[in-house]
Amino acid sequence: MTIRIKVFLFFILWQLPLFLLLSCQSNLAYAAGGKWQLLMSNIGISAMHIQLLNNDRVIMYDRTDFGPSNISLPDGKCRNNPNDLALKVDCTAHSVEYDVSTNSVRPLMVQTDVWCSSGSVNSDGSLVQTGGFNDGEHMVRVVKPCSTCDWQEMGNNLIQSRWYSTNHILPDGRQIIIGGRKAFNYEFYPKTASTSNVFSLPFLQQTNNPREENNLFPFVFLNVDGNLFIFANDRAILLDYKTNTVVKTFPQIPGGDPRNYPSSGSAVLLPLKNLRSQTVQAEVLVCGGAPRGSYPKADKGEFLGALNTCGRITITDPNPQWTMETMPLARTMGDMVILPNGNVLIINGAASGTAGWQIARNPVLSPVIYRPDNPSDSRFEVQNPNAIPRMYHSTAVLLRDGRVLVGGSNPNELYNFTGVLFPTDLSLEAFSPSYLDQESANLRPRIISPASHLKYTYGQRVDIRFTASGLLNTDLVKVTMVAPGFNTHSFTMNQRMLVLPRSGMVRQVGRFVYQISCVFPKSGIFAPPGYYLLFVVHQDIPSEAIWVRIQ
């Protein structure tokens, strides 16, 4: 054997362990894409709850019984509330409006406690917020999308106290409010003659673990048959809310570990496609959480490792079954954001412990992108990490320009900025997925018509004109429509994406100008009435969106 051959064999044997390691990790796709940007170091409050409105402003709030915030109410105004548990007179704001275009905040006033509340955007574009803590648990509050609007307290319009509940917009535009602490039922807003009371939902009592609960902020999605998919703890049902009938019980998610608060996994309804088909398929993805028993153990200083699994289920199948996948990073308190191209961003959270005051450890700084249409062994891709831990009470929401707004993290009972392991965080960041990289600029479409904020009816055809400076692959152009959701406690209520059916081929109508014709969904069962972000996507690179209103 020559020296050259010996050296070659030595090199191969020396590299073999590394080769095997990389082969084992290839399905994790450590591409480390995306960029982080600090937008504001201090918005005055911690963004515990967050909602994008159709004027490109984002409503955020934390809680009123936190003590004074870091931003004052304007014009010497003060909140006078004898029921408040921290300050009876408080001249600081606990809600702000963030203006995306100017990167600035405006203080807003809430009177009653909005802590751990729920909400959804009404069909007219107003944020309707429900429940909370203490004197806020029966309250309904509304804020409209305008530059001078503030919160309006609508009064005690909830029959049941709602704390840690979930809202969803229905096909007729009403909201259904489901569950909450010691609330094993649901109700509607606004009320009608036939829905003026609460409706019992024993499923929520059956999924309530003693001392842990693990069924708060249930994951709720409107199915394409008009019924509601409701996931709580480790199992799910399909509910006909009109007749208060459980029409299907789904199998328990494999492993039997809880996924809802305080275990705090997350979930999304994957993009709805082929809307002209006789049968439209609907899939739900549930990721992360904490093992059963994590909450009481963390309360005693033992921090169990978070779950590293996702469960995926086709809820429209006659015999639906879960398919399990392994995430590259275990995560509790993560948020899941549907991106304009149909991929899912998993962001924020911790690798051990659970949701609650100071009972999580090991922040997960790297987001992960999940590509649902990829082969099962190549769906996850780890992204570049941020520098700020986003623990309990963190939030994330998609913006019209394709960035993801990230804020929050107040894992302490008050505004504690020093002397704690994870201080309360008042900053605001943006995560830009790699589709916003400059290298993709020539592939990125730009919508030139129709104008934003136009109204459309169900089933209406729309002609969309857009530009693209590079070579356009007409087979890889699609139009997506995203309902921006209300995000809190690792779940985004009412988040929904539809891929609009194309009517004919993409046509070139000018130099670098193209036209694609699409058809809006045929009913509110597919897309409840309201405002949506409409994107043109080319080779997974989205345009900036326009706002469309469906009714």
Side-chain angles (χ1 to χ4, degrees), residues 38-45 70-71 105 417 425-428:
L38 179 65
L39 299 174
M40 297 184 68
S41 59
N42 186 346
I43 63 170
I45 67 165
N70 276 28
I71 185 169
V105 295
F417 304 107
D425 196 281
L426 308 184
S427 67
L428 202 60

Side-chain angles (χ1 to χ4, degrees), residues 2-22:
T2 67
I3 294 176
R4 181 174 294 178
I5 293 175
K6 288 181 179 179
V7 169
F8 175 75
L9 289 174
F10 174 78
F11 176 78
I12 291 295
L13 291 172
W14 179 70
Q15 292 284 351
L16 186 60
L18 178 61
F19 172 77
L20 292 173
L21 177 64
L22 292 175

Side-chain angles (χ1 to χ4, degrees), residues 216-399:
L216 301 178
F217 288 118
F219 305 144
V220 180
F221 301 107
L222 177 65
N223 194 12
V224 294
D225 62 1
N227 296 313
L228 292 174
F229 174 88
I230 304 175
F231 185 103
N233 200 317
D234 60 357
R235 68 205 91 151
I237 58 170
L238 194 63
L239 176 72
D240 182 341
Y241 61 88
K242 295 178 180 177
T243 62
N244 193 23
T245 304
V246 175
V247 296
K248 182 177 288 187
T249 299
F250 295 91
Q252 181 188 46
I253 194 168
D257 282 312
R259 306 286 177 154
N260 296 84
Y261 180 85
S263 171
S264 292
S266 191
V268 292
L269 177 71
L270 292 175
L272 299 175
K273 307 174 184 177
N274 305 315
L275 299 182
R276 283 177 163 173
S277 302
Q278 189 170 359
T279 57
V280 176
Q281 181 176 287
E283 288 185 275
V284 169
L285 180 71
V286 179
C287 290
R292 195 169 303 281
S294 290
Y295 187 88
K297 288 184 177 180
D299 217 24
K300 296 176 182 177
E302 182 185 351
F303 304 101
L304 299 182
L307 301 177
N308 68 345
T309 54
C310 293
R312 183 168 168 172
I313 188 169
T314 303
I315 63 176
T316 46
D317 274 0
N319 182 31
Q321 300 294 321
W322 290 96
T323 299
M324 301 305 292
E325 301 179 60
T326 301
M327 297 189 292
L329 301 168
R331 195 181 305 252
T332 178
M333 299 182 292
D335 292 287
M336 295 171 71
V337 180
I338 302 177
L339 299 176
N341 56 14
N343 295 333
V344 179
L345 180 70
I346 308 171
I347 197 166
N348 300 335
S352 58
T354 186
W357 300 131
Q358 303 180 51
I359 54 173
R361 297 292 185 271
N362 304 313
V364 182
L365 301 175
S366 295
V368 168
I369 284 181
Y370 177 85
R371 292 182 166 83
D373 296 333
N374 274 19
S376 58
D377 62 348
S378 60
R379 289 178 178 158
F380 294 100
E381 180 181 285
V382 178
Q383 304 296 288
N384 283 318
N386 67 344
I388 301 174
R390 299 291 181 184
M391 306 289 278
Y392 185 39
H393 289 143
S394 298
T395 48
V397 68
L398 178 68
L399 298 178

